[in-house]
Amino acid sequence: MVEDRGKQVVEDIKSVEDWLSHAQELVPVALEKARDVKVFPGKLKMIISKLDQIPTCLSDLSSHPCFSKNALCKEQLQAVSKTLKEIIELADLCIREMYGGKLRMQNDLDSLSGKLDLNLRDCGLLIKTGVLGEVTVPLAVAGSSIEPESAINSNIRELLARLQIGHLEAKHRALDSLLDVMKEEEKTVLTVLGRSNIAALVQLLTATSPRIREKTVTVICSLAESGSCENWLVSEGVLPPLIRLVESGSAVGKEKAAISLQRLSMSTETARAIVGHGGIRPLIEMCQTGDSVSQAASACTLKNISAIPEVRQNLAEEGIVQVMITLLDCGILLGSKEYAAECLQNLTASNDNLKRAVISEGGIRSLLAYLDGPLPQESAVGALRNLVASVSIEMLLALGFFPRLVHVLKSGSLGARQAAASAICRVCSSSETKKLVGEAGCIPLLIQLLEAKTNNAREVAAQAISSLLTLSQNRREVKKDDKTIPNLVNLLDPGPQNTAKKYAVSCLACLSTSKKCKKLMISYGAIGYLKKLSEMDIPGSKKLLERLERGKLRNLFRRK
């Protein structure tokens, strides 16, 4: 033990130049010994060919301007010297035929050949990564001319380079150090990170050691969440190993992999690639068996994928409809429920088969129950909007659809209220449903929505009112509200951003049979708007203008 410690001290004292000289001296000795071996000719020939490359490799390394200033050079020369020494020792055993069995010696020679490959590769990487251009100096060196920030950058570059060189255990230690650094200096790490570092991390995701895979995916998860290197991660092949980790990693590995895929799937192209790499089934299984965070991340990834029309059938074939309905009912985190609602909205956007599947699996009941909770309602109402036209009035009544619609129009977000108005447009396909909507109390709430800040919300509210006005009892309800006429007249604005004008014309035309309504339209300036709309050939505008102008003339003659 004392002797080993003393030997280590001596090795630590040696300079990088000493180690270079030592390695250069060992190369010819190793070559001579290897050439003298008469057994295992094929394996020795391979070793000799690699030994021949070592001098050039050492020359390239030592000719770098920062050769003597970087700790990695010294470590690399130590590794090369150790490999050369082992070759000399094994070659000597082969020459004296003192090995303990042919099979064992063949394995030892294969191992040495692999170490030579690693030494040659690492020397090349040291130069290619550019890390040798960074001087590694302790921050506390007195009188150092290097600014602390530069020194930190230098140390991080060295640490990132260590992910690419050396044996697996050395990379494991580098990962530990990198995780510690990222807790305090994540922004700095992101600043100095290069594509080669990303490639090295992606390779470590497939390491044989579960611990290394777990720590690597933790780093990659942080990188994905930072939003600064998604393209590099994907182009370097991160998706397949992440999907495999979701499938069969440790609990931490699954969680970090799921979160990484969630972030990366925000890109449509990446979401498609996840499908292409077989990611649907593992993600669906995670929704069923994962812990709370993994479940929510997987649900969000599937939601992102479901936004792509051409892959929705693939999702359906893997059973996504029932899984999302189950999440809607009993997801562990509230976020899981919200993602499930968004996913169902996407799935039912245009595919009739998927609409039928959601209905048959009890999706409408679950969506309506979701509306009673504290979560954002927009996606659930959007999904219901997609489904209502395919459901009987009896089912809607039995499930309490209309009272919940009123609840959303009263207290929902603007997006939810807009979706509810759109649902009314879809469901009003008969006099019976129009009557039910009117009796439920939706009309005053739709009139309020005509004042919404967004053009889309105003448009869909005007469209819904237009469809309801074909029923006489609904017209009476609309006329009762003092805000109806001024709100609709405001929507006659001929500006190109106002897409509600055609529905406003339709509504006002229905109400213009009332003298009181006509007077109000005229007093709020409808004629001026309608003249401009008539020039634009907006349907119904000319006829309504004529009706209002006749009324205006009659009033003028009466006053005379």
Side-chain angles (χ1 to χ4, degrees):
M1 290 286 290
V2 174
E3 184 180 342
D4 289 342
R5 280 200 294 271
K7 186 178 179 182
Q8 185 62 49
V9 170
V10 172
E11 290 187 350
D12 290 341
I13 292 172
K14 283 184 179 180
S15 68
V16 67
E17 288 82 4
D18 292 335
W19 279 106
L20 175 63
S21 177
H22 182 56
Q24 288 171 331
E25 290 170 0
L26 288 175
V27 173
V29 178
L31 275 168
E32 184 181 353
K33 285 281 187 182
R35 286 170 178 149
D36 287 343
V37 176
K38 305 302 180 187
V39 292
F40 313 112
K43 295 187 182 297
L44 267 297
K45 185 177 180 181
M46 182 70 69
I47 287 173
I48 290 168
S49 69
K50 293 172 184 177
L51 280 171
D52 284 333
Q53 299 173 49
I54 294 291
T56 303
C57 176
L58 296 178
S59 175
D60 291 342
L61 194 61
S62 61
S63 62
H64 194 283
C66 298
F67 166 71
S68 62
K69 301 173 184 178
N70 197 293
L72 287 171
C73 285
K74 184 176 179 179
E75 292 176 20
Q76 190 56 37
L77 289 169
Q78 287 173 327
V80 172
S81 298
K82 183 180 178 183
T83 303
L84 292 170
K85 188 177 178 183
E86 288 179 18
I87 290 172
I88 293 168
E89 290 172 354
L90 271 186
D92 191 52
L93 289 174
C94 288
I95 291 168
R96 292 186 289 155
E97 297 187 4
M98 293 181 64
Y99 46 85
K102 286 186 175 182
L103 187 58
R104 180 177 175 181
M105 179 54 73
Q106 286 176 333
N107 288 337
D108 289 343
L109 290 171
D110 286 337
S111 176
L112 271 178
S113 183
K115 287 181 181 179
L116 276 171
D117 281 334
L118 186 63
N119 293 153
L120 290 166
R121 173 183 167 276
D122 287 352
C123 282
L125 280 172
L126 271 178
I127 298 168
K128 288 178 183 177
T129 57
V131 74
L132 294 186
E134 298 288 337
V135 183
T136 306
V137 180
L139 288 176
V141 172
S144 171
S145 62
I146 297 180
E147 294 294 325
E149 185 177 347
S150 299
I152 291 171
N153 288 356
S154 173
N155 290 334
I156 290 173
R157 286 185 188 278
E158 178 183 316
L159 190 56
L160 291 168
R162 289 181 184 277
L163 296 175
Q164 301 178 65
I165 63 173
H167 52 78
L168 207 55
E169 193 55 39
K171 293 175 180 177
H172 194 173
R173 291 194 296 270
L175 274 173
D176 285 335
S177 300
L178 183 59
L179 284 168
D180 289 339
V181 169
M182 288 186 74
K183 291 175 185 175
E184 304 293 334
E185 300 286 346
E186 182 174 333
K187 288 184 178 178
T188 309
V189 172
L190 292 170
T191 301
V192 301
L193 194 70
R195 185 164 188 159
S196 61
N197 307 129
I198 297 288
L201 283 166
V202 171
Q203 288 177 0
L204 288 175
L205 278 180
T206 58
T208 53
S209 165
R211 289 188 306 152
I212 289 182
R213 292 198 301 269
E214 189 174 291
K215 290 175 182 178
T216 302
V217 77
T218 301
V219 174
I220 283 177
C221 184
S222 295
L223 298 179
E225 288 190 301
S226 74
S228 61
C229 49
E230 302 103 313
N231 291 338
W232 277 354
L233 284 167
V234 174
S235 63
E236 290 300 330
V238 79
L239 296 180
L242 285 178
I243 291 167
R244 298 294 81 78
L245 279 173
V246 168
E247 204 168 29
S248 56
S250 64
V252 172
K254 287 181 176 183
E255 178 182 305
K256 297 298 183 183
I259 294 171
S260 301
L261 289 173
Q262 175 185 356
R263 184 63 181 78
L264 295 172
S265 65
M266 291 173 66
S267 157
T268 300
E269 287 307 310
T270 303
R272 279 197 187 92
I274 291 172
V275 177
H277 288 297
I280 294 177
R281 184 178 292 276
L283 288 166
I284 285 179
E285 289 176 356
M286 183 69 77
C287 287
Q288 297 170 296
T289 61
D291 61 26
S292 56
V293 176
S294 300
Q295 183 187 81
S298 298
C300 185
T301 305
L302 289 167
K303 179 265 294 185
N304 292 340
I305 292 171
S306 70
I308 306 169
E310 64 266 27
V311 302
R312 288 172 187 158
Q313 194 57 44
N314 301 75
L315 292 167
E317 289 167 3
E318 295 291 349
I320 195 171
V321 170
Q322 184 56 64
V323 170
M324 288 300 144
I325 291 172
T326 301
L327 275 186
L328 207 59
D329 292 333
C330 48
I332 302 171
L333 293 180
L334 294 179
S336 299
K337 293 173 178 276
E338 187 177 352
Y339 296 139
E342 290 181 71
C343 187
L344 289 172
Q345 180 184 13
N346 290 338
L347 292 172
T348 57
S350 58
N351 189 311
D352 289 337
N353 290 332
L354 286 173
K355 288 179 184 179
R356 285 191 288 270
V358 172
I359 294 167
S360 65
E361 296 285 357
I364 289 185
R365 185 185 300 277
S366 296
L367 287 164
L368 288 169
Y370 173 92
L371 294 180
D372 296 331
L375 291 167
Q377 301 169 324
E378 183 174 341
S379 297
V381 181
L384 288 166
R385 173 199 60 207
N386 296 339
L387 296 169
V388 288
S390 305
V391 183
S392 67
I393 298 172
E394 290 73 23
M395 177 182 283
L396 294 176
L397 284 170
L399 295 175
F401 171 74
F402 295 103
R404 284 189 174 96
L405 207 59
V406 171
H407 170 69
V408 172
L409 285 169
K410 277 183 179 177
S411 57
S413 66
L414 179 58
R417 290 159 61 205
Q418 179 180 325
S422 183
I424 289 172
C425 296
R426 300 276 182 94
V427 80
C428 285
S429 57
S430 68
S431 297
E432 186 178 359
T433 52
K434 291 175 185 179
K435 181 181 177 184
L436 289 169
V437 170
E439 290 175 346
C442 293
I443 289 174
L445 300 170
L446 289 170
I447 292 169
Q448 288 178 20
L449 193 57
L450 293 174
E451 302 171 359
K453 293 181 179 179
T454 68
N455 178 63
N456 288 340
R458 295 192 296 269
E459 178 184 5
V460 75
Q463 184 182 2
I465 293 170
S466 175
S467 66
L468 291 168
L469 282 175
T470 58
L471 202 64
S472 58
Q473 70 180 66
N474 288 341
R475 284 198 296 276
R476 287 193 295 271
E477 184 71 23
V478 169
K479 290 174 186 177
K480 288 180 187 176
D481 198 309
D482 293 338
K483 291 184 176 181
T484 299
I485 300 301
N487 285 349
L488 288 170
V489 170
N490 283 338
L491 293 184
L492 294 176
D493 182 349
Q497 75 283 356
N498 175 30
T499 54
K501 47 185 172 278
K502 61 180 179 180
Y503 298 114
V505 169
S506 174
C507 291
L508 291 170
C510 285
L511 297 172
S512 64
T513 55
S514 161
K515 292 181 180 180
K516 179 183 176 183
C517 288
K518 277 196 292 187
K519 288 180 181 179
L520 286 171
M521 292 176 205
I522 293 166
S523 66
Y524 281 108
I527 289 177
Y529 283 132
L530 288 168
K531 285 180 179 178
K532 293 178 181 178
L533 295 182
S534 296
E535 294 172 1
M536 297 166 62
D537 289 329
I538 299 299
S541 57
K542 289 181 181 178
K543 188 173 181 181
L544 179 58
L545 176 61
E546 290 170 1
R547 186 176 295 174
L548 294 185
E549 286 184 326
R550 283 199 301 271
K552 188 177 181 181
L553 284 170
R554 289 195 197 100
N555 290 337
L556 183 62
F557 287 130
R558 286 196 187 102
R559 284 199 294 272
K560 289 181 179 180

